[in-house]
DNA sequence: CTTAATGCAAAATCTTTGCATGAAC
DNA sequence: GTTCATGCAAAGATTTTGCATTAAG
C-alpha cells in the first residue's frame, strides 16, 4: 500500500521560467530552499519571480517530482527526485548535501507503531541532519 | 553519549504569567501551538501576552522541560515534558494527543547511519502524525 | 483564440524583538 | 533598589494569493 500519491499532474506548460527552476533545482547537490533557488536563478541571469519558484516547487512536490524536508527554522527545503522509492535523508546543515538512508527498519517501525496505537492515516517524517565530511574538513561555500 | 543538553536554566522568576503558561501547557493532553495556548489562557480569563507565551515556551524547550515537534505547516508544537528520556511521538493531527513511541530501533538506526555516513554532529527528528481513535470516531473540538 | 503562467505587490502566518513600564527578589 | 519579566506594537521571515498582463498551446 505505497503512498505513491502521484498527483493528477495539473496542466503543465513548458515555459522558460519552469525550465529554469527545474535546471536550478537539478543543479543542486542537496536540499535547497525556495529563496536560495530564486537567488541562484537571479544570479544566473534569468528573471524568475519568487512566487513562481514557490509555485513550481509546490507543483513538483505535489506531483512527487521533488522531495521536501524541513530546515531547522521550519523552512521547506526541496530536492529534485531521482527515483520513486520512499526515502529518508541525512542532510548536511551547511551545504544541503544529502545522503539517502536505507530505511526499511524505520518503515517497519512506523507500520508497527501505527497498528499498535490504533491511529489511522499515519504519516511520518524522519529527518537527519549533520555536517558532511567535506564541510567538517573546511568551512567552504 | 546522551544529547541531554540540559540548559543552564537562565534566571527564572515566578510570575503569574509563567504559572499560567505552565498550567495551560500541562493541561493539554498533547502537543499545542503557542497561539492556541495563548488563546486558552485568554479564554481562562488570564491576561498573558502572546510574546510571553512564546518566550516562556522557548525557555522551557531550551531547558528541556518541554518537547517540541513541528506541525505540518512548520509551526512549533509544544508539550510539557514528563520524564527525561529522549522520545518520539505519534501525534494526532486533530487534537494534538500524543503517544510516545518506543524508539530504541530508531536510535540504533540513527547511530548507525551517522557512523556509516561519516557525518558529524548528527541530529534527528522523527515525527509521526495520524488521527487518534477518538478523533476518528467523531469529529470533536 | 483560449487557457494557463507570470510578476508584482499585498496579505497571511508564525515568530521574534525593542523598549518603556511594572513586578520579583 | 536592581534586575528581570511583561506587554504592546513593530519588525522579520517564509509562504501564499489577487489580479492585470503576457505567453503557450
Amino acid at each position: 500500500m505505497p503512498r505513491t500519491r502521484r498527483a493528477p499532474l495539473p496542466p503543465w506548460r513548458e515555459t522558460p521560467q519552469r525550465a529554469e527552476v527545474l535546471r536550478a533545482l537539478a543543479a543542486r547537490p542537496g536540499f535547497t530552499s525556495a529563496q536560495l533557488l530564486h537567488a541562484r536563478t537571479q544570479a544566473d541571469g534569468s528573471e524568475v519571480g519568487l512566487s513562481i519558484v514557490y509555485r513550481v516547487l509546490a507543483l513538483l512536490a505535489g506531483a512527487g517530482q521533488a522531495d521536501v524536508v524541513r530546515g531547522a527554522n521550519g523552512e521547506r527545503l526541496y530536492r529534485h527526485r531521482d527515483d520513486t522509492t520512499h526515502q529518508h535523508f541525512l542532510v548536511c546543515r551547511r551545504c544541503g548535501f544529502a545522503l539517502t538512508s536505507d530505511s526499511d527498519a524505520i518503515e517497519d517501525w512506523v507500520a508497527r507503531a501505527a497498528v499498535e496505537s490504533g491511529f489511522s492515516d499515519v504519516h511520518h517524517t524522519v529527518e537527519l541532519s549533520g555536517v558532511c565530511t567535506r564541510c567538517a574538513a573546511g568551512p567552504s561555500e
Side-chain angles (χ1 to χ4, degrees), chain A residues 2 60 85:
Chain A
L60 291 177
T85 52

Side-chain angles (χ1 to χ4, degrees), chain A residues 42-123:
Chain A
Q42 298 284 290
D44 295 353
S46 15
E47 295 294 323
V48 181
L50 178 57
S51 47
I52 292 308
V53 175
Y54 275 108
R55 287 200 258 236
V56 172
L57 289 177
L59 282 176
L60 291 177
Q65 294 181 32
D67 292 302
V68 190
V69 299
R70 292 235 174 225
N73 39 353
E75 78 183 342
R76 281 195 253 273
L77 303 176
Y78 297 86
R79 201 189 71 159
H80 178 260
R81 185 169 213 172
D82 302 308
D83 55 14
T84 55
T85 52
H86 177 80
Q87 298 185 316
H88 298 296
F89 304 97
L90 175 45
V91 182
C92 177
R93 276 192 292 277
R94 304 250 179 97
C95 68
F97 173 76
L99 250 42
T100 62
S101 278
D102 178 26
S103 58
D104 288 349
I106 300 300
E107 305 298 332
D108 291 349
W109 175 76
V110 168
R112 194 155 1 96
V115 171
E116 289 174 0
S117 65
F119 275 45
S120 51
D121 197 18
V122 173
H123 299 187

Side-chain angles (χ1 to χ4, degrees), chain A residues 12 17-27 56 60 65 80:
Chain A
W12 180 274
Q17 292 88 343
R18 294 190 167 184
E20 175 65 14
V21 172
L22 281 171
R23 193 197 55 65
L25 186 64
V56 172
L60 291 177
Q65 294 181 32
H80 178 260

